[in-house]
Amino acid sequence: MTEPIQDDLLEARLDAAFEATPRADYLPEKVRDRAGQDRPLPIPRNQTNSQPSTVRDMLWLLEVPEGAKVLDVGAGSGWTTALLAHLTGPEGSVLGVELEPELVEFGTGNLAKAERPWAEIRQATKGRVGAPADGPFDRILVSAQARKLPEELVKQLAPGGILVIPVASQMWRVTLDENRKRSIDRLGAYLFVPLR
C-alpha cells in the first residue's frame, strides 16, 4: 500500500469523491444552505463539520488507494467516512468511530444515504483511541487535535500505512515503512476540536 499516487491522478480521484459526496448531505438542515462556504459548520453536540479545503488537504496527504482498509477517527457527520469510502471503493472498507452517541446516529443516517455499505460508523470506546480490535489499517484519518502523537493509533497502522492527524495545531503525516520504521512530516497550521 506504499506506492505513491501520481499528483494528477490523486487530484482527479479527490474531485470525483467530493462531487459524489456533497457536503450539504452531511449537515443539519438549518446550515445546509452554507455548505459551499469554506469554513467549519456546526453539527450536533457542539462539534463541527470541517471546512472543505482542510478535508481535501487531509485526504491528499492520506493518499487512499482503492481497496484500502481505513479508520476514520472522529467521524462526526459521516462526511469524511463517505469520502473515504468513495476513495477505497467497494473492495476496501472504512470504519468510522465517534464518541458522541447522537453523532453516531446522525453520521450513520447520513452515510446510509450514500449507499456505500463497505463503510460504517460505530460508537467509540471512551478512553480508547481508534479501534485496535479491528486493525491493522492501511490508512488512518483523525479529525480531532491531539496534544501529542497517540502511540495507540500508530500501533493500529499496518506496515506501509499512513496516518494523518492534527497534533498541537500542526498537521502531521506519519508514514510507516514495511519494517514499521516511521517518518513524520509536519505541515501547515490547522485548528480542530480536541481529541478525547
Side-chain angles (χ1 to χ4, degrees), residues 4-101:
I5 299 170
Q6 290 179 335
D7 286 0
D8 51 351
L9 176 60
L10 182 53
E11 284 285 4
R13 294 184 71 233
L14 290 175
D15 286 345
F18 277 87
E19 195 174 313
T21 317
R23 185 189 192 196
D25 295 351
Y26 298 84
L27 293 170
E29 215 166 302
K30 65 181 183 220
V31 295
R32 278 188 196 149
D33 60 332
R34 290 158 50 197
Q37 297 176 5
D38 191 28
R39 53 183 279 207
L41 291 172
I43 59 173
R45 305 299 300 164
N46 295 318
Q47 302 297 306
T48 59
N49 173 284
S50 297
Q51 65 192 78
S53 61
T54 298
V55 173
R56 190 178 177 104
D57 288 350
M58 293 175 82
L59 293 177
W60 173 270
L61 294 170
L62 205 59
E63 288 186 28
V64 179
E66 287 186 19
K69 182 178 179 180
V70 183
L71 176 65
D72 185 21
V73 178
S77 68
W79 190 38
T80 51
T81 309
L83 285 163
L84 289 163
H86 186 278
L87 293 167
T88 68
E91 297 78 33
S93 65
V94 183
L95 172 59
V97 290
E98 172 56 53
L99 262 181
E100 297 287 350

Side-chain angles (χ1 to χ4, degrees), residues 63-194:
E63 288 186 28
V64 179
E66 287 186 19
K69 182 178 179 180
V70 183
L71 176 65
D72 185 21
V73 178
S77 68
W79 190 38
T80 51
T81 309
L83 285 163
L84 289 163
H86 186 278
L87 293 167
T88 68
E91 297 78 33
S93 65
V94 183
L95 172 59
V97 290
E98 172 56 53
L99 262 181
E100 297 287 350
E102 188 180 340
L103 285 179
V104 173
E105 193 178 321
F106 180 63
T108 296
N110 293 335
L111 185 60
K113 294 177 216 152
E115 296 182 350
R116 295 172 193 164
W118 56 95
E120 66 169 310
I121 297 173
R122 258 192 243 156
Q123 178 74 47
T125 306
K126 199 165 178 62
R128 175 174 290 155
V129 182
D134 295 278
F137 298 94
D138 303 309
R139 299 290 186 271
I140 300 176
L141 178 70
V142 183
S143 297
Q145 182 170 267
R147 284 194 293 274
K148 60 181 189 175
L149 181 64
E151 289 299 325
E152 195 177 345
L153 272 183
V154 178
K155 287 178 186 157
Q156 294 170 48
L157 202 55
I162 298 172
L163 161 66
V164 172
I165 178 172
V167 178
S169 302
Q170 260 190 329
M171 194 64 70
W172 287 26
R173 181 183 196 257
V174 181
T175 308
L176 295 188
D177 70 12
E178 295 304 325
N179 299 310
R180 300 195 59 79
K181 184 174 184 291
R182 75 178 68 170
S183 61
I184 299 174
D185 295 308
R186 293 168 181 84
L187 300 126
Y190 291 84
L191 282 177
F192 278 85
V193 296

